[in-house]
Coordinates of all heavy atoms in Angstrom, one line a residue:
M1165 N 84.0 9.9 4.1 CA 82.7 9.3 4.7 C 83.1 8.6 5.9 O 84.0 7.7 5.9 CB 82.0 8.5 3.7 CG 80.7 8.0 4.1 SD 79.5 9.3 3.7 CE 78.1 8.7 4.5
L1166 N 82.6 8.9 7.0 CA 82.8 8.2 8.3 C 82.1 6.9 8.4 O 80.9 6.9 8.0 CB 82.5 9.2 9.5 CG 83.3 10.4 9.7 CD1 82.6 11.3 10.8 CD2 84.7 10.1 10.0
T1167 N 82.7 5.9 8.9 CA 82.0 4.7 9.2 C 81.3 4.7 10.5 O 81.4 5.7 11.3 CB 83.1 3.5 9.2 OG1 83.9 3.7 10.4 CG2 83.8 3.4 8.0
G1168 N 80.5 3.7 10.8 CA 79.8 3.7 12.0 C 80.7 3.6 13.3 O 80.4 4.3 14.2
K1169 N 81.9 2.9 13.1 CA 82.8 2.8 14.3 C 83.4 4.2 14.5 O 83.7 4.6 15.7 CB 83.9 1.8 14.0 CG 83.4 0.4 14.1 CD 84.5 -0.5 13.9 CE 84.2 -2.0 14.0 NZ 85.3 -2.9 13.8
Q1170 N 83.7 5.0 13.5 CA 84.3 6.3 13.6 C 83.4 7.2 14.2 O 83.7 8.0 15.1 CB 84.8 6.7 12.2 CG 86.0 5.9 11.6 CD 86.3 6.2 10.2 OE1 85.4 6.6 9.4 NE2 87.5 6.1 9.9
K1171 N 82.1 7.2 13.8 CA 81.1 8.1 14.3 C 80.9 7.7 15.8 O 80.8 8.7 16.6 CB 79.8 8.0 13.6 CG 79.8 8.7 12.2 CD 78.4 8.5 11.6 CE 78.5 9.2 10.2 NZ 77.1 9.2 9.6
R1172 N 80.9 6.5 16.1 CA 80.7 6.1 17.6 C 81.9 6.6 18.4 O 81.7 7.1 19.5 CB 80.6 4.6 17.6 CG 80.2 4.1 19.0 CD 79.8 2.6 19.0 NE 80.6 1.7 18.1 CZ 80.1 1.2 17.1 NH1 78.8 1.3 16.7 NH2 80.8 0.4 16.3
Y1173 N 83.1 6.5 17.9 CA 84.3 7.1 18.6 C 84.2 8.6 18.8 O 84.4 9.1 19.9 CB 85.5 6.7 17.8 CG 86.8 7.3 18.4 CD1 87.3 6.8 19.6 CD2 87.5 8.4 17.7 CE1 88.4 7.4 20.2 CE2 88.6 8.9 18.3 CZ 89.1 8.4 19.5 OH 90.3 9.0 20.1
L1174 N 83.8 9.3 17.7 CA 83.6 10.7 17.9 C 82.5 11.2 18.9 O 82.7 12.1 19.7 CB 83.4 11.4 16.5 CG 84.6 11.3 15.5 CD1 84.1 11.8 14.2 CD2 85.7 12.2 16.0
R1175 N 81.4 10.4 18.8 CA 80.4 10.7 19.8 C 80.8 10.4 21.2 O 80.4 11.2 22.1 CB 79.1 9.7 19.4 CG 78.4 10.2 18.2 CD 77.1 9.5 18.1 NE 77.1 8.1 18.3 CZ 77.0 7.2 17.2 NH1 76.9 7.7 16.0 NH2 77.0 6.0 17.4
S1176 N 81.6 9.4 21.4 CA 82.1 9.2 22.8 C 83.0 10.2 23.3 O 83.0 10.6 24.5 CB 82.8 7.8 22.9 OG 84.0 7.9 22.2
L1177 N 83.8 10.8 22.4 CA 84.6 12.0 22.8 C 83.9 13.2 23.0 O 84.1 14.0 24.0 CB 85.7 12.2 21.7 CG 86.8 11.2 21.4 CD1 87.6 11.6 20.3 CD2 87.6 11.0 22.6
A1178 N 82.8 13.4 22.2 CA 82.0 14.6 22.3 C 81.1 14.6 23.6 O 80.7 15.7 24.0 CB 81.1 14.8 21.1
M1179 N 80.9 13.4 24.0 CA 80.0 13.3 25.2 C 80.6 14.1 26.4 O 79.8 14.6 27.2 CB 79.8 11.8 25.6 CG 78.6 11.5 26.4 SD 78.5 9.7 26.4 CE 78.8 9.4 28.1
T1180 N 81.8 14.1 26.6 CA 82.4 14.8 27.7 C 82.7 16.3 27.5 O 83.2 17.0 28.4 CB 83.7 14.1 28.1 OG1 84.6 14.2 27.0 CG2 83.5 12.7 28.5
Q1181 N 82.5 16.8 26.3 CA 82.8 18.2 25.9 C 81.5 19.0 26.1 O 80.4 18.5 25.9 CB 83.3 18.3 24.5 CG 84.6 17.7 24.3 CD 85.0 17.9 22.8 OE1 84.2 18.4 22.0 NE2 86.2 17.5 22.5
K1182 N 81.7 20.3 26.4 CA 80.6 21.3 26.4 C 80.6 21.8 25.0 O 81.6 21.9 24.3 CB 80.9 22.4 27.4 CG 80.7 21.9 28.8 CD 80.9 23.0 29.8 CE 80.8 22.5 31.2 NZ 80.7 23.5 32.2
P1183 N 79.4 22.3 24.5 CA 79.3 23.0 23.2 C 80.3 24.2 23.1 O 80.4 25.0 24.0 CB 77.9 23.4 23.1 CG 77.2 22.5 24.1 CD 78.1 22.3 25.2
L1184 N 81.1 24.2 22.1 CA 82.0 25.2 21.9 C 81.4 26.4 21.1 O 81.7 27.6 21.4 CB 83.2 24.7 21.0 CG 84.4 25.6 20.8 CD1 85.1 25.9 22.1 CD2 85.3 25.0 19.8
I1185 N 80.4 26.2 20.3 CA 79.8 27.2 19.5 C 78.2 27.1 19.7 O 77.7 26.0 19.8 CB 80.1 27.0 18.0 CG1 81.6 27.1 17.8 CG2 79.3 28.0 17.1 CD1 82.1 26.8 16.4
N1186 N 77.6 28.3 19.8 CA 76.1 28.4 20.0 C 75.5 29.1 18.8 O 76.1 30.0 18.3 CB 75.8 29.2 21.3 CG 76.2 28.4 22.5 OD1 76.0 27.2 22.7 ND2 76.9 29.1 23.5
V1187 N 74.4 28.6 18.4 CA 73.7 29.2 17.3 C 72.5 29.9 18.0 O 71.7 29.3 18.6 CB 73.1 28.3 16.3 CG1 72.4 29.0 15.2 CG2 74.3 27.5 15.7
G1188 N 72.4 31.2 17.8 CA 71.3 32.0 18.4 C 70.4 32.7 17.4 O 70.2 32.2 16.3
K1189 N 70.0 33.9 17.8 CA 69.0 34.6 16.9 C 69.6 35.1 15.7 O 69.0 35.5 14.7 CB 68.4 35.7 17.7 CG 69.3 36.8 18.2 CD 68.6 37.9 19.0 CE 69.5 38.9 19.5 NZ 68.9 39.9 20.2
N1190 N 71.0 35.3 15.6 CA 71.7 35.8 14.4 C 71.6 34.8 13.3 O 71.8 35.1 12.2 CB 73.2 36.2 14.8 CG 73.2 37.3 15.7 OD1 72.3 38.1 15.8 ND2 74.3 37.4 16.3
G1191 N 71.4 33.5 13.6 CA 71.2 32.5 12.6 C 72.5 32.1 11.8 O 73.6 32.3 12.4
L1192 N 72.3 31.6 10.7 CA 73.3 31.1 9.8 C 73.9 32.1 8.9 O 73.3 32.5 7.9 CB 72.9 29.8 9.0 CG 72.2 28.7 9.9 CD1 71.6 27.7 9.0 CD2 73.2 28.2 10.9
T1193 N 75.1 32.6 9.2 CA 75.7 33.6 8.3 C 77.1 33.1 7.9 O 77.6 32.1 8.4 CB 75.9 34.9 9.1 OG1 76.8 34.6 10.3 CG2 74.6 35.4 9.6
T1194 N 77.7 33.9 7.1 CA 79.1 33.5 6.6 C 80.0 33.6 7.8 O 81.0 32.8 7.9 CB 79.6 34.4 5.5 OG1 79.4 35.7 5.8 CG2 78.7 34.1 4.2
Q1195 N 79.8 34.6 8.7 CA 80.6 34.8 9.9 C 80.6 33.5 10.7 O 81.5 33.0 11.3 CB 80.3 36.0 10.7 CG 80.7 37.3 10.0 CD 79.6 37.7 9.0 OE1 78.4 37.2 8.9 NE2 80.0 38.7 8.2
F1196 N 79.4 33.0 10.9 CA 79.2 31.7 11.6 C 80.0 30.6 11.0 O 80.7 29.9 11.7 CB 77.7 31.3 11.7 CG 77.4 29.9 12.3 CD1 77.6 29.8 13.7 CD2 77.0 28.9 11.4 CE1 77.4 28.5 14.2 CE2 76.8 27.7 12.0 CZ 76.9 27.5 13.4
A1197 N 79.8 30.4 9.8 CA 80.6 29.4 9.0 C 82.1 29.5 9.2 O 82.9 28.6 9.4 CB 80.2 29.3 7.6
Q1198 N 82.6 30.8 9.1 CA 84.0 31.1 9.3 C 84.5 30.7 10.7 O 85.6 30.3 11.0 CB 84.3 32.6 9.0 CG 84.2 32.9 7.5 CD 84.2 34.4 7.2 OE1 84.2 35.2 8.2 NE2 84.3 34.7 6.0
G1199 N 83.6 31.0 11.7 CA 83.9 30.7 13.1 C 84.0 29.2 13.3 O 84.9 28.8 14.0
V1200 N 83.1 28.5 12.7 CA 83.2 27.0 12.9 C 84.4 26.5 12.2 O 85.1 25.7 12.7 CB 81.9 26.4 12.3 CG1 82.0 24.9 12.2 CG2 80.7 26.8 13.1
A1201 N 84.8 27.0 11.0 CA 86.0 26.6 10.3 C 87.2 26.9 11.1 O 88.2 26.1 11.2 CB 86.1 27.3 8.9
A1202 N 87.2 28.0 11.7 CA 88.4 28.4 12.6 C 88.6 27.5 13.8 O 89.6 27.2 14.2 CB 88.3 29.9 12.9
A1203 N 87.4 27.1 14.3 CA 87.4 26.3 15.5 C 87.8 24.8 15.1 O 88.4 24.1 15.9 CB 86.0 26.3 16.2
L1204 N 87.4 24.4 13.9 CA 87.6 23.1 13.5 C 89.1 22.8 13.1 O 89.6 21.7 13.3 CB 86.8 22.7 12.2 CG 85.4 22.2 12.5 CD1 84.7 22.1 11.2 CD2 85.4 20.9 13.1
E1205 N 89.8 23.8 12.7 CA 91.2 23.6 12.3 C 92.1 23.0 13.3 O 92.7 22.0 13.2 CB 91.8 24.8 11.6 CG 93.2 24.7 11.2 CD 93.5 23.6 10.2 OE1 92.6 23.3 9.3 OE2 94.6 23.0 10.1
P1206 N 92.2 23.6 14.5 CA 93.0 23.1 15.5 C 92.4 21.9 16.3 O 93.1 21.0 16.8 CB 93.3 24.2 16.6 CG 92.1 25.1 16.4 CD 91.7 25.0 15.0
R1207 N 91.1 21.7 16.3 CA 90.4 20.7 17.1 C 89.9 19.5 16.3 O 89.8 18.4 16.8 CB 89.2 21.3 17.8 CG 89.6 22.3 18.9 CD 88.3 23.0 19.4 NE 88.7 24.0 20.3 CZ 89.0 25.3 20.0 NH1 89.0 25.6 18.7 NH2 89.3 26.2 20.8
E1208 N 89.6 19.8 15.0 CA 89.0 18.7 14.2 C 87.6 18.3 14.5 O 86.9 17.8 13.6 CB 89.9 17.5 14.0 CG 91.3 17.8 13.4 CD 92.1 16.6 13.2 OE1 92.3 15.8 14.1 OE2 92.5 16.4 12.0
M1209 N 87.1 18.5 15.7 CA 85.8 18.2 16.1 C 85.2 19.3 17.0 O 85.9 19.8 17.8 CB 85.7 16.9 16.9 CG 84.3 16.5 17.3 SD 84.3 14.9 18.3 CE 85.1 15.5 19.8
V1210 N 83.9 19.7 16.7 CA 83.3 20.8 17.4 C 81.9 20.4 17.8 O 81.2 19.8 16.8 CB 83.4 22.1 16.5 CG1 82.6 23.2 17.3 CG2 84.8 22.6 16.3
K1211 N 81.5 20.7 18.9 CA 80.1 20.4 19.4 C 79.4 21.9 19.3 O 79.9 22.8 19.8 CB 80.2 20.0 20.8 CG 78.9 19.4 21.3 CD 79.1 18.7 22.7 CE 77.9 18.0 23.1 NZ 78.1 17.3 24.4
I1212 N 78.3 21.8 18.7 CA 77.5 23.0 18.4 C 76.1 22.9 19.0 O 75.5 21.9 18.9 CB 77.3 23.3 16.9 CG1 78.7 23.5 16.3 CG2 76.5 24.6 16.6 CD1 78.7 23.5 14.7
A1213 N 75.7 23.9 19.8 CA 74.4 23.9 20.4 C 73.5 25.0 19.8 O 74.0 26.1 19.6 CB 74.5 24.1 21.9
L1214 N 72.2 24.6 19.7 CA 71.3 25.6 19.2 C 70.5 26.2 20.4 O 69.9 25.4 21.2 CB 70.3 25.0 18.3 CG 70.7 25.0 16.8 CD1 71.7 23.8 16.6 CD2 69.6 24.7 15.9
L1215 N 70.6 27.5 20.5 CA 69.9 28.1 21.7 C 68.4 28.2 21.5 O 68.0 28.1 20.3 CB 70.5 29.6 21.9 CG 72.0 29.7 22.2 CD1 72.3 31.1 22.2 CD2 72.2 29.0 23.5
P1216 N 67.6 28.3 22.5 CA 66.1 28.4 22.3 C 65.7 29.5 21.3 O 64.7 29.4 20.7 CB 65.6 28.6 23.7 CG 66.6 28.1 24.6 CD 67.9 28.3 23.9
S1217 N 66.5 30.5 21.2 CA 66.1 31.7 20.3 C 66.4 31.4 18.9 O 66.0 32.2 18.0 CB 66.8 32.9 20.8 OG 68.2 32.8 20.7
A1218 N 67.1 30.3 18.6 CA 67.4 30.0 17.2 C 66.3 29.5 16.4 O 65.5 28.7 16.9 CB 68.6 28.9 17.1
E1219 N 66.1 30.1 15.2 CA 64.9 29.7 14.4 C 65.2 28.4 13.6 O 64.3 27.8 13.0 CB 64.5 30.8 13.5 CG 64.0 32.0 14.3 CD 63.7 33.2 13.4 OE1 63.7 33.1 12.2 OE2 63.3 34.2 13.9
E1220 N 66.6 28.1 13.5 CA 66.9 26.9 12.6 C 66.8 25.6 13.4 O 66.9 25.6 14.6 CB 68.5 27.1 12.2 CG 68.6 28.3 11.2 CD 68.7 29.6 11.9 OE1 68.8 29.7 13.1 OE2 68.7 30.6 11.2
T1221 N 66.8 24.6 12.7 CA 66.8 23.2 13.2 C 68.3 22.7 13.2 O 69.1 23.2 12.3 CB 65.9 22.3 12.5 OG1 66.4 22.1 11.2 CG2 64.4 22.7 12.4
P1222 N 68.6 21.7 14.0 CA 70.0 21.2 13.8 C 70.2 20.6 12.4 O 71.4 20.7 12.0 CB 70.0 20.0 14.8 CG 69.0 20.4 15.9 CD 67.9 21.2 15.1
A1223 N 69.3 20.1 11.8 CA 69.4 19.5 10.4 C 69.7 20.7 9.5 O 70.6 20.5 8.5 CB 68.2 18.8 10.0
M1224 N 69.1 21.9 9.6 CA 69.4 23.0 8.8 C 70.8 23.5 9.0 O 71.5 23.8 8.1 CB 68.4 24.1 9.1 CG 67.0 23.9 8.6 SD 65.8 25.1 9.2 CE 66.4 26.6 8.5
V1225 N 71.3 23.5 10.2 CA 72.6 23.9 10.5 C 73.7 22.9 10.0 O 74.6 23.3 9.3 CB 72.9 24.0 12.1 CG1 74.3 24.3 12.4 CG2 72.0 25.1 12.7
A1226 N 73.4 21.6 10.0 CA 74.2 20.6 9.5 C 74.4 20.8 8.0 O 75.4 20.7 7.4 CB 73.7 19.3 9.9
D1227 N 73.2 21.0 7.3 CA 73.2 21.1 5.8 C 73.9 22.4 5.4 O 74.7 22.4 4.5 CB 71.8 21.2 5.3 CG 71.0 19.9 5.4 OD1 71.7 18.9 5.5 OD2 69.8 19.9 5.3
F1228 N 73.8 23.5 6.2 CA 74.4 24.8 5.9 C 75.9 24.6 6.0 O 76.8 25.0 5.1 CB 73.9 25.9 6.8 CG 74.7 27.1 6.7 CD1 74.4 28.1 5.7 CD2 75.6 27.5 7.7 CE1 75.1 29.2 5.5 CE2 76.3 28.8 7.5 CZ 76.1 29.6 6.5
L1229 N 76.4 24.0 7.1 CA 77.8 23.8 7.3 C 78.5 22.9 6.3 O 79.6 23.1 5.8 CB 78.1 23.3 8.7 CG 77.9 24.4 9.8 CD1 78.0 23.7 11.2 CD2 78.7 25.6 9.7
A1230 N 77.8 21.8 6.0 CA 78.2 20.8 4.9 C 78.4 21.5 3.6 O 79.4 21.2 2.8 CB 77.3 19.7 4.9
E1231 N 77.5 22.4 3.3 CA 77.5 23.1 2.0 C 78.7 24.2 2.0 O 79.4 24.3 1.0 CB 76.2 23.9 1.7 CG 76.2 24.5 0.3 CD 74.8 25.0 0.1 OE1 73.8 24.3 0.2 OE2 74.7 26.2 -0.3
A1232 N 78.9 24.8 3.2 CA 79.9 25.8 3.3 C 81.3 25.3 3.4 O 82.3 26.0 3.0 CB 79.6 26.8 4.5
M1233 N 81.4 24.1 4.0 CA 82.7 23.5 4.1 C 82.9 22.2 3.6 O 82.3 21.3 4.1 CB 83.1 23.5 5.7 CG 83.3 24.8 6.3 SD 83.6 24.7 8.0 CE 82.0 24.9 8.7
P1234 N 83.5 22.0 2.5 CA 83.7 20.7 1.9 C 84.4 19.8 2.8 O 85.4 20.2 3.4 CB 84.4 20.9 0.6 CG 84.5 22.4 0.4 CD 84.1 23.0 1.7
G1235 N 84.1 18.6 2.9 CA 84.8 17.6 3.8 C 84.3 17.5 5.2 O 84.8 16.7 6.0
L1236 N 83.3 18.3 5.5 CA 82.7 18.4 6.8 C 81.8 17.2 7.0 O 81.0 16.8 6.1 CB 81.9 19.6 7.1 CG 81.3 19.7 8.5 CD1 82.3 20.6 9.4 CD2 80.0 20.4 8.4
E1237 N 81.9 16.5 8.1 CA 81.1 15.3 8.4 C 80.2 15.6 9.7 O 80.9 16.1 10.6 CB 81.9 14.0 8.7 CG 82.6 13.6 7.4 CD 81.8 12.7 6.5 OE1 80.7 12.2 6.9 OE2 82.2 12.4 5.4
V1238 N 79.0 15.2 9.7 CA 78.2 15.3 10.9 C 78.3 14.0 11.7 O 77.8 13.0 11.1 CB 76.7 15.7 10.6 CG1 75.9 15.7 11.9 CG2 76.7 17.0 9.9
A1239 N 78.9 14.0 12.9 CA 79.1 12.8 13.6 C 77.8 12.4 14.5 O 77.6 11.2 14.7 CB 80.4 12.8 14.5
Q1240 N 77.2 13.5 14.9 CA 76.0 13.2 15.7 C 75.1 14.5 15.6 O 75.4 15.6 15.5 CB 76.4 13.1 17.2 CG 75.3 12.8 18.1 CD 75.7 12.6 19.6 OE1 76.7 13.2 20.0 NE2 75.1 11.7 20.3
L1241 N 73.8 14.1 15.6 CA 72.7 15.2 15.6 C 71.7 14.7 16.6 O 70.9 13.7 16.2 CB 72.2 15.2 14.2 CG 71.4 16.5 13.9 CD1 72.0 17.1 12.6 CD2 70.0 16.2 13.7
I1242 N 71.6 15.3 17.7 CA 70.7 14.8 18.7 C 70.1 16.0 19.5 O 70.8 16.9 19.9 CB 71.3 13.8 19.7 CG1 70.4 13.2 20.7 CG2 72.5 14.4 20.5 CD1 70.9 12.0 21.4
G1243 N 68.8 16.1 19.6 CA 68.2 17.2 20.3 C 68.5 18.5 19.5 O 68.3 18.7 18.3
R1244 N 69.0 19.4 20.3 CA 69.4 20.7 19.7 C 70.9 20.9 19.7 O 71.4 22.0 19.8 CB 68.8 21.9 20.5 CG 67.2 21.9 20.4 CD 66.6 23.0 21.0 NE 66.8 24.3 20.4 CZ 66.3 24.8 19.3 NH1 65.5 24.1 18.6 NH2 66.6 26.1 18.9
T1245 N 71.7 19.7 19.6 CA 73.0 19.7 19.5 C 73.5 18.8 18.4 O 73.0 17.8 18.1 CB 73.6 19.1 20.9 OG1 73.0 19.8 22.0 CG2 75.1 19.1 21.0
L1246 N 74.7 19.3 17.8 CA 75.3 18.5 16.7 C 76.8 18.5 16.9 O 77.3 19.5 17.5 CB 74.9 18.9 15.4 CG 75.2 20.3 14.8 CD1 75.6 20.2 13.4 CD2 74.0 21.2 15.0
V1247 N 77.4 17.4 16.5 CA 78.9 17.3 16.5 C 79.3 17.2 15.1 O 78.8 16.3 14.3 CB 79.2 16.1 17.4 CG1 80.8 15.9 17.3 CG2 78.8 16.2 18.8
V1248 N 80.3 18.1 14.7 CA 80.8 18.0 13.4 C 82.3 17.7 13.4 O 83.0 18.0 14.3 CB 80.5 19.4 12.6 CG1 79.1 19.6 12.4 CG2 81.1 20.6 13.3
F1249 N 82.8 17.1 12.3 CA 84.2 16.6 12.2 C 84.7 17.0 10.8 O 84.0 16.9 9.9 CB 84.3 15.2 12.5 CG 85.6 14.6 12.2 CD1 86.7 14.7 13.1 CD2 85.9 13.9 11.0 CE1 88.0 14.2 12.9 CE2 87.1 13.4 10.7 CZ 88.1 13.5 11.7
R1250 N 85.9 17.5 10.8 CA 86.6 17.7 9.6 C 88.1 17.6 9.8 O 88.6 18.3 10.7 CB 86.3 19.1 8.9 CG 86.9 19.3 7.6 CD 86.6 20.6 6.9 NE 87.3 21.7 7.6 CZ 87.4 22.9 7.1 NH1 86.7 23.2 6.1 NH2 88.0 23.8 7.8
P1251 N 88.8 16.7 9.1 CA 90.3 16.6 9.3 C 90.9 18.0 9.1 O 90.5 18.7 8.2 CB 90.7 15.6 8.2 CG 89.5 14.9 7.9 CD 88.3 15.8 8.0
A1252 N 92.0 18.3 9.9 CA 92.7 19.5 9.8 C 93.5 19.6 8.5 O 94.0 18.6 8.0 CB 93.6 19.6 10.9
E1253 N 93.6 20.8 8.0 CA 94.4 21.0 6.8 C 95.9 21.0 7.0 O 96.7 20.5 6.3 CB 94.0 22.3 6.1 CG 92.6 22.3 5.6 CD 92.2 23.6 5.0 OE1 93.0 24.5 4.8 OE2 90.9 23.8 4.6
Q1254 N 96.2 21.5 8.2 CA 97.7 21.6 8.6 C 98.0 20.2 9.3 O 97.3 19.8 10.2 CB 97.9 22.7 9.6 CG 97.8 24.0 8.9 CD 98.1 25.2 9.9 OE1 98.4 25.0 11.1 NE2 97.8 26.4 9.5
E1255 N 99.1 19.6 9.0 CA 99.5 18.4 9.5 C 99.7 18.4 10.9 O 99.5 17.4 11.7 CB 100.8 17.9 8.7 CG 100.8 16.3 8.7 CD 101.8 15.9 7.7 OE1 101.8 16.3 6.5 OE2 102.6 15.0 8.1
K1256 N 100.2 19.5 11.5 CA 100.5 19.6 13.0 C 99.2 19.5 13.8 O 99.3 19.1 15.0 CB 101.2 20.8 13.3 CG 100.4 22.1 13.1 CD 101.4 23.3 13.5 CE 100.5 24.6 13.2 NZ 101.2 25.7 13.6
H1257 N 98.1 19.7 13.3 CA 96.8 19.6 14.0 C 96.1 18.3 13.8 O 95.1 18.0 14.3 CB 95.8 20.8 13.5 CG 96.3 22.1 13.9 ND1 96.6 22.5 15.1 CD2 96.6 23.1 13.0 CE1 97.0 23.7 15.1 NE2 97.1 24.2 13.9
R1258 N 96.6 17.4 13.0 CA 96.0 16.1 12.7 C 96.2 15.0 13.8 O 96.8 13.9 13.5 CB 96.5 15.6 11.4 CG 95.9 16.4 10.2 CD 96.2 15.7 8.9 NE 96.0 16.7 7.8 CZ 96.6 16.6 6.7 NH1 97.5 15.7 6.4 NH2 96.3 17.5 5.8
K1259 N 95.7 15.2 15.0 CA 95.8 14.2 16.0 C 94.6 13.3 16.1 O 94.7 12.1 16.0 CB 96.1 14.8 17.3 CG 97.5 15.5 17.4 CD 97.7 16.2 18.7 CE 99.0 16.8 18.7 NZ 99.0 18.2 18.9
L1260 N 93.5 14.0 16.1 CA 92.1 13.3 16.1 C 91.8 12.5 14.9 O 91.4 11.4 14.9 CB 91.0 14.3 16.4 CG 89.6 13.7 16.6 CD1 89.6 12.7 17.8 CD2 88.6 14.8 16.9
S1261 N 92.2 13.1 13.7 CA 91.9 12.4 12.5 C 92.7 11.1 12.3 O 92.3 10.2 11.7 CB 92.1 13.3 11.3 OG 93.3 13.9 11.2
L1262 N 93.9 11.1 12.9 CA 94.7 9.9 12.9 C 94.1 8.8 13.7 O 94.0 7.6 13.3 CB 96.1 10.2 13.3 CG 97.0 11.1 12.4 CD1 98.3 11.4 13.0 CD2 97.1 10.6 11.0
E1263 N 93.6 9.2 14.8 CA 92.8 8.2 15.7 C 91.5 7.7 15.1 O 91.2 6.6 15.1 CB 92.5 8.9 17.1 CG 93.7 9.1 18.0 CD 94.3 7.8 18.4 OE1 93.5 6.8 18.7 OE2 95.5 7.7 18.4
V1264 N 90.9 8.6 14.4 CA 89.6 8.3 13.7 C 89.9 7.3 12.5 O 89.3 6.3 12.4 CB 88.9 9.5 13.2 CG1 87.7 9.2 12.2 CG2 88.3 10.3 14.4
A1265 N 91.0 7.5 11.9 CA 91.4 6.7 10.7 C 91.8 5.3 11.2 O 91.5 4.3 10.5 CB 92.6 7.3 10.0
K1266 N 92.3 5.1 12.4 CA 92.6 3.8 12.9 C 91.4 3.0 13.2 O 91.4 1.8 13.1 CB 93.4 4.0 14.3 CG 94.8 4.5 14.1 CD 95.4 4.5 15.5 CE 96.7 5.2 15.5 NZ 97.3 5.4 16.8
R1267 N 90.3 3.7 13.4 CA 89.1 3.0 13.7 C 88.3 2.6 12.5 O 87.2 2.0 12.6 CB 88.2 3.9 14.6 CG 89.0 4.4 15.8 CD 88.2 4.2 17.1 NE 88.7 4.8 18.3 CZ 89.8 4.4 18.9 NH1 90.5 3.5 18.5 NH2 90.1 5.0 20.1
G1268 N 88.7 3.0 11.3 CA 88.0 2.7 10.1 C 88.2 1.3 9.6 O 87.5 0.5 9.4

């Protein structure tokens, strides 16, 4: 569980990033969840944008991803954009999670 300071730190990092993944008319599928998981492993934090054609809400996407990937945390949910965080499984990719842990 992320603390307020940790979420604030992740939000500040995400502010300068462009969305890496877009949710469109294809909706929430297992392929979408696998793509998010593949993007999270080396980065640990991913910004996701919902396109106007998406029928889902950001809260629905957050719930779907939290259910599909244990350990996933939603750092920010604003407008049609959300920022998700999950510590990397491989130790060589754990740079951001170490910084986040310092802020706890």
Side-chain angles (χ1 to χ4, degrees):
M1165 188 85 187
L1166 293 174
T1167 65
K1169 286 183 181 181
Q1170 291 170 330
K1171 286 183 181 183
R1172 191 170 33 247
Y1173 175 68
L1174 291 172
R1175 287 193 307 259
S1176 72
L1177 292 177
M1179 203 170 114
T1180 60
Q1181 293 181 352
K1182 291 186 178 183
L1184 185 67
I1185 298 174
N1186 294 314
V1187 179
K1189 64 180 179 178
N1190 292 339
L1192 305 174
T1193 62
T1194 55
Q1195 289 83 13
F1196 170 72
Q1198 290 169 351
V1200 172
L1204 274 171
E1205 179 56 32
R1207 291 172 188 84
E1208 297 187 304
M1209 180 181 70
V1210 174
K1211 192 172 188 178
I1212 302 170
L1214 276 76
L1215 299 175
S1217 61
E1219 296 177 4
E1220 292 81 10
T1221 64
M1224 290 170 62
V1225 175
D1227 291 341
F1228 174 78
L1229 290 175
E1231 188 176 307
M1233 289 179 267
L1236 181 98
E1237 295 274 348
V1238 178
Q1240 183 178 32
L1241 196 128
I1242 187 166
R1244 296 187 62 81
T1245 306
L1246 63 144
V1247 176
V1248 294
F1249 170 80
R1250 184 177 73 171
E1253 293 176 9
Q1254 296 180 3
E1255 206 165 311
K1256 66 180 181 180
H1257 296 299
R1258 289 187 192 156
K1259 293 181 182 117
L1260 181 60
S1261 58
L1262 295 175
E1263 287 295 318
V1264 169
K1266 287 180 189 177
R1267 308 229 188 287

